[in-house]
Amino acid sequence: MLHVYNSLTRRKEPFEPLEPGRVRMYVCGMTVYDYCHLGHARVLVVFDVIVRYLRELGFDVTYVRNITDIDDKIIRRASENGEPFERLTQRFIEAMHEDAAALGVLPPDHEPRATASMDDIIRMIETLVAKGYAYQADNGDVYYDVSCFEGYGQLSGERPDDLRAGARIEVDEAKDDPLDFVLWKAAKPGEPSWPSPWGEGRPGWHIECSAMSTRCLGDHFDIHGGGMDLKFPHHENEIAQSEAATGHKFVNYWIHNGFIQVDEEKMSKSLGNFFTVREVLGRYQPEVVRFFILSSHYRSPLNYSEDNLDQARSGLDRLYTALRGARPDEGEMLPDFLLRFRDAMDDDFNTPEAIALLFELARDLNRAKEQDAPEAADLAATLRGLGSILGLLQADPQLYLRGGGAPEGLSDAEIEALLAARAEARARKDWAESDRIRDQLRDAGILLEDGPRGTSWRRA
Ligand code: ZN
């Protein structure tokens, strides 16, 4: 039986969905103002495998992953670029879809966008105001009154009084209590805004997820997921909003994946050790990146380093080498391996153990191939079949193994010419063309860094 680590109860629990045979799951998606980085790749791949495995177990899964397409960072970036915010978000939604597809991530069943969910968001805020959980402040913003919600801190383990002691109110905020958080932000001049009972404005981030998850999955559903950094305050606030609005439990199982580290340090823009998915895909085949992500347990930190990526590549090479020349289509899955695979995955989606089993299969398969033994086809069918549950090993082994090297290099002069063309495109605000050139360079293993003194480049 499947056991899942539930962040809410802080222990592994048997997984029992609300409705037998059906699973309803929501994961916090991207805020689309820039390219996805490795942390996003991990969320995409981890929850993709969870969905695939739940389906493998026979559950009818409804998977919702939202898009935050309005917020402060989006507004700031669009104004820096001098473009409408919708154009910026559309461009990065497309880029995110490309990255997800490259990593073998299946599209979610629903992908609601905040800007297309205003009615649901406003309705939920109205309910919270009517029930006395929210108030409009002097500056026009609407806030959630944390002191009214008894269970605050249940997910993060934070105590409201401790939080209050460490918190402070920013000068531009008008809330009563430092823990209160914004539900509706009054529009400042020139900002995108929507009409509401509290005047023109836009929603806070937390209420978007409460409203979108409820609309797609109902008031009470099975799984809510996201990166560990969202546990507090984002998910804590989602619980406070949703449970106050509906009067009952919001989510049964909270699943959080761990951080990405780079050379044992936390990945962050300020440390300069920040990688976009596109940069990494310029150097490694997408399936290697997926394999690398799954070779650590989803709750452990994932350490990005060239050594670890190279190790993932040689591991995946080994599996494909075993499959080369084998005939999986003529074999059948071996039930013993399937059982052991399920044991590993039933233990809180233990992908490293599941992958260890793939290596065991590859060793047996190599031996069977050498001896021309009849069980080779069954071993190959099992290896490829179990790989498919993880979204791995579905390529033609020949093609995968041939594509293993880095892309063909460009000369310095060719790179400079492309950079000049990109600068021209940017000057005439042709972002599509500028991004296309950036992608072309990325595919050739050239990384660009836009700075105050123009664009510099380096070879990956
Ligand atoms: Zn969210």
Side-chain angles (χ1 to χ4, degrees), residues 255-378:
I255 300 183
H256 292 100
N257 67 270
F259 290 118
I260 302 260
Q261 296 181 322
V262 177
D263 294 323
E264 313 285 344
E265 273 189 281
K266 190 170 182 228
M267 183 174 87
S268 80
K269 270 194 172 145
S270 55
L271 287 173
N273 61 1
F274 192 83
F275 293 94
T276 65
V277 172
R278 294 177 171 227
E279 283 163 344
V280 181
L281 293 186
R283 310 167 68 178
Y284 294 93
Q285 295 194 77
E287 195 175 340
V288 170
V289 179
R290 185 179 176 96
F291 185 81
F292 161 69
I293 290 171
L294 296 178
S295 49
S296 287
H297 189 268
Y298 76 88
R299 284 192 286 124
S300 313
L302 178 65
N303 194 39
Y304 178 88
S305 70
E306 254 174 63
D307 280 354
N308 290 350
L309 257 294
D310 288 345
Q311 215 181 323
R313 174 160 59 195
S314 67
L316 192 60
D317 286 358
R318 258 198 343 266
L319 298 178
Y320 268 116
T321 305
L323 280 173
R324 183 171 52 188
R327 296 194 186 81
D329 298 332
E330 294 170 19
E332 281 179 17
M333 288 269 269
L334 297 163
D336 170 47
F337 276 101
L338 180 58
L339 275 178
R340 289 172 62 201
F341 183 89
R342 283 194 174 187
D343 277 347
M345 291 297 283
D346 278 348
D347 182 16
D348 195 28
F349 311 105
N350 194 335
T351 54
E353 232 180 274
I355 285 174
L357 200 62
L358 301 186
F359 284 115
E360 193 183 319
L361 267 164
R363 272 194 305 275
D364 290 358
L365 174 56
N366 283 333
R367 204 175 305 127
K369 274 165 52 185
E370 270 166 35
Q371 298 164 353
D372 219 359
E375 63 264 29
D378 288 347

Side-chain angles (χ1 to χ4, degrees), residues 26 28 66 205 209 234-235 238:
Y26 183 91
C28 293
N66 74 295
W205 174 37
C209 279
H234 185 51
H235 290 161
E238 277 189 50

Side-chain angles (χ1 to χ4, degrees), residues 141-206:
D141 291 353
V142 179
Y143 289 98
Y144 186 95
D145 185 347
V146 168
S147 67
C148 290
F149 184 70
E150 263 198 35
Y152 198 77
Q154 56 183 281
L155 177 67
S156 56
E158 304 275 6
R159 297 206 341 230
D161 284 339
D162 297 346
L163 289 167
R164 233 168 241 125
R168 62 192 185 96
I169 300 183
E170 301 292 329
V171 281
D172 60 338
E173 293 179 313
K175 53 197 182 182
D176 295 345
D177 178 328
L179 293 192
D180 293 354
F181 56 88
V182 74
L183 299 170
W184 189 261
K185 274 185 196 184
K188 297 195 180 78
E191 282 183 353
S193 67
W194 287 260
S196 83
W198 314 282
E200 285 283 321
R202 65 191 149 87
W205 174 37
H206 314 304

Side-chain angles (χ1 to χ4, degrees), residues 7-23:
S7 306
L8 190 62
T9 57
R10 295 163 189 80
R11 46 166 205 261
K12 269 188 218 172
E13 294 175 347
F15 178 72
E16 285 173 61
L18 283 160
E19 198 184 314
R22 262 203 81 188
V23 176

